[in-house]
Amino acid sequence: MKTRLRHFRTRRGLTQGDLARRLGTTAATISRLETADMTVSTDWLEKFASALDVAVSDLIATPDEGAALLAGSLAPDGGVSPPPPGETSLTLDVAVREPVALRIAGTFGPYLSGDLLVGSKHAAGEAAQFAGRDCILSAGGTVRFGKLVSIGSEDALVLVPIAGAEAVRLDGIDWLAPVALMIRRFD
């Protein structure tokens, strides 16, 4: 069975050795599991999913689903070097557990009308770790967007990405989703 173990491991910035230590195994075993030299059991999939913070279903590769040809890496001079061996395609996915999306309706700050922002939904209790990040937030059932400036036990201060805008205080944060991906179309 083809898996996406390597994809998620590298996205998390982990070496095979790092992941092996988390799972109590060897880097050689991780390598064999990633290259399908060793059968990946459901037990292994569950261990990987937990260690990589993804759903088990995310680890199972489906042929050509969302895949794009990876032409290579772009250099500052406009030249393109070939992709590394074995990386001829790129899966267009959002590696988040509970994706929350927001379409930008007007051009402001760094965003253009039509941009799609995708965040990973987290409980309000986890908010402190996302200070300084653009977030989609729900407070009292109202959804807002902005850079999370500070978070208290009952409220948050959010800076809207418009020049000269005042910070907005939100009471009773239900959840927040730090932006993990922006999709911009060029028509």
Side-chain angles (χ1 to χ4, degrees), residues 122-185:
H122 292 270
E126 301 174 68
Q129 65 185 311
F130 304 114
R133 300 255 320 259
D134 281 352
C135 295
I136 304 164
L137 301 101
S138 174
T142 300
V143 177
R144 297 291 303 230
F145 175 78
K147 185 175 298 295
L148 183 62
V149 178
S150 67
I151 185 84
S153 60
E154 303 274 327
D155 63 351
L157 193 60
V158 177
L159 187 58
V160 180
I162 298 174
E166 296 287 323
V168 176
R169 181 168 304 283
L170 303 174
D171 293 319
I173 302 296
D174 304 313
W175 55 262
L176 79 158
V179 174
L181 175 72
M182 179 181 82
I183 301 171
R184 178 172 289 165
R185 291 188 59 150

Side-chain angles (χ1 to χ4, degrees), residues 57-159:
S57 60
D58 291 338
L59 295 173
I60 301 168
T62 54
D64 300 327
E65 181 182 317
L69 172 67
L70 181 60
S73 298
L74 179 63
D77 66 359
V80 176
S81 59
E87 290 188 29
T88 57
S89 66
L90 173 69
T91 302
L92 304 175
D93 70 302
V94 181
V96 294
R97 282 201 162 182
E98 283 188 72
V100 177
L102 182 68
R103 186 170 310 279
I104 303 298
T107 298
F108 56 88
Y111 303 110
L112 301 178
S113 183
D115 286 352
L116 183 65
L117 305 180
V118 181
S120 180
K121 189 174 178 182
H122 292 270
E126 301 174 68
Q129 65 185 311
F130 304 114
R133 300 255 320 259
D134 281 352
C135 295
I136 304 164
L137 301 101
S138 174
T142 300
V143 177
R144 297 291 303 230
F145 175 78
K147 185 175 298 295
L148 183 62
V149 178
S150 67
I151 185 84
S153 60
E154 303 274 327
D155 63 351
L157 193 60
V158 177
L159 187 58

Side-chain angles (χ1 to χ4, degrees), residues 15-21 25-34:
T15 65
Q16 289 177 339
D18 295 335
L19 186 56
R21 282 186 288 283
T25 190
T26 66
T29 298
I30 300 297
S31 176
R32 288 194 306 271
L33 289 166
E34 286 183 350

